[in-house]
Amino acid sequence: LAKTTQPISMDSYEGQEVNITCSHNNIATNDYITWYQQFPSQGPRFIIQGYKTKVTNEVASLFIPADRKSSTLSLPRVSLSDTAVYYCLVAAYSGAGSYQLTFGKGTKLSVIP
Amino acid sequence: DVKVTQSSRYLVKRTGEKVFLECVQDMDHENMFWYRQDPGLGLRLIYFSYDVKMKEKGDIPEGYSVSREKKERFSLILESASTNQTSMYLCASSSREGSEKLFFGSGTQLSVL
């Protein structure tokens, strides 16, 4: 089963680029890596998803090295509203023809004015 | 937009009571999930379902059961609530094609006294 590891917390000033890395060993060959954002009193919300190399959307970029044992979420020029908890999610084959989605423990990002 | 609705935002129950947490999604998703979220532990998977009347155990199924009689509804059952089941419970759904892109409800904060 894939395990995911992320930093517990990070601080950043407004306007800076923030990179949050998630380590995931034993990720299966065909699994996507997905990142979520969660504000207090809300459920997590999808940000970005990738399989390999680099993916970019209007919110963030996702960098995945060739060995796929880690991934880095990049938030350009953060603002106060980006203060949230960020989770990585990987799917791992758990036997008997099924797979299990495993979240990291989350990284609490605090953006400072 | 996908909507995942959890029946209660806050719930207070007594030890030993049977508790039902209901979740309904409106996007005809095949996959549904129940997670619990605790400070410092992130999101942990309790049960999931890939089809009607189908269920699989996640990482922490002990003390819980689930029911999926209809595609849009996934219920979490605490047969005999205990204080260590005080937690935030999050329901999510995803399509078969985009299985790692989860859509979450707003959560139910359950307190067992």
Side-chain angles (χ1 to χ4, degrees):
Chain A
L1 197 63
K3 300 277 184 198
T4 56
T5 305
Q6 319 175 218
I8 295 173
S9 63
M10 297 180 71
D11 293 335
S12 176
Y13 288 101
E14 274 192 294
Q16 289 189 329
E17 178 184 74
V18 171
N19 296 308
I20 306 173
T21 296
C22 179
S23 299
H24 24 77
N25 61 352
N26 299 323
I27 183 173
T29 307
N30 297 322
D31 293 341
Y32 279 93
I33 298 159
T34 314
W35 283 80
Y36 293 80
Q37 177 190 55
Q38 186 180 27
F39 297 113
S41 302
Q42 295 183 22
R45 182 176 69 110
F46 172 89
I47 301 176
I48 195 167
Q49 180 179 72
Y51 178 72
K52 61 181 178 180
T53 63
K54 178 183 175 181
V55 178
T56 298
N57 63 19
E58 64 278 5
V59 176
S61 294
L62 180 60
F63 299 91
I64 303 169
D67 65 8
R68 292 179 19 97
K69 291 186 177 182
S70 66
S71 59
T72 299
L73 174 72
S74 180
L75 304 172
R77 300 181 59 80
V78 293
S79 65
L80 296 176
S81 62
D82 292 317
T83 293
V85 179
Y86 293 84
Y87 291 94
C88 65
L89 173 70
V90 299
Y93 185 69
S94 60
S98 68
Y99 63 91
Q100 187 161 313
L101 296 174
T102 302
F103 279 92
K105 292 187 177 180
T107 298
K108 186 175 183 180
L109 172 65
S110 299
V111 180
I112 306 163
Chain B
D1 272 355
V2 174
K3 190 157 187 180
V4 178
T5 303
Q6 296 185 227
S7 53
S8 303
R9 188 74 182 91
Y10 298 96
L11 211 52
V12 180
K13 296 292 181 181
R14 297 208 174 274
T15 303
E17 280 192 79
K18 190 169 186 175
V19 181
F20 292 87
L21 301 183
E22 306 286 347
C23 176
V24 178
Q25 50 94 5
D26 66 0
M27 280 300 290
D28 201 35
H29 282 169
E30 291 81 11
N31 309 324
M32 295 190 76
F33 308 83
W34 275 106
Y35 289 88
R36 66 176 281 177
Q37 184 172 36
D38 301 286
L41 297 178
L43 290 145
R44 293 181 293 168
L45 181 63
I46 305 172
Y47 267 98
F48 58 103
S49 169
Y50 293 143
D51 203 349
V52 176
K53 295 192 186 294
M54 175 269 173
K55 60 184 178 184
E56 289 201 33
K57 294 179 179 179
D59 293 324
I60 52 164
E62 295 78 21
Y64 303 94
S65 62
V66 290
S67 172
R68 187 138 183 229
E69 296 296 318
K70 293 184 178 181
K71 190 176 185 179
E72 67 271 17
R73 187 180 296 270
F74 193 36
S75 303
L76 180 69
I77 304 155
L78 287 66
E79 294 289 342
S80 178
S82 64
T83 55
N84 63 12
Q85 292 179 309
T86 291
S87 185
M88 170 67 78
Y89 290 88
L90 288 158
C91 175
S93 72
S94 67
S95 67
R96 181 167 292 137
E97 295 75 25
S99 55
E100 293 96 342
K101 187 173 181 180
L102 273 61
F103 294 85
F104 281 86
S106 297
T108 296
Q109 179 62 53
L110 172 67
S111 297
V112 183
L113 306 178

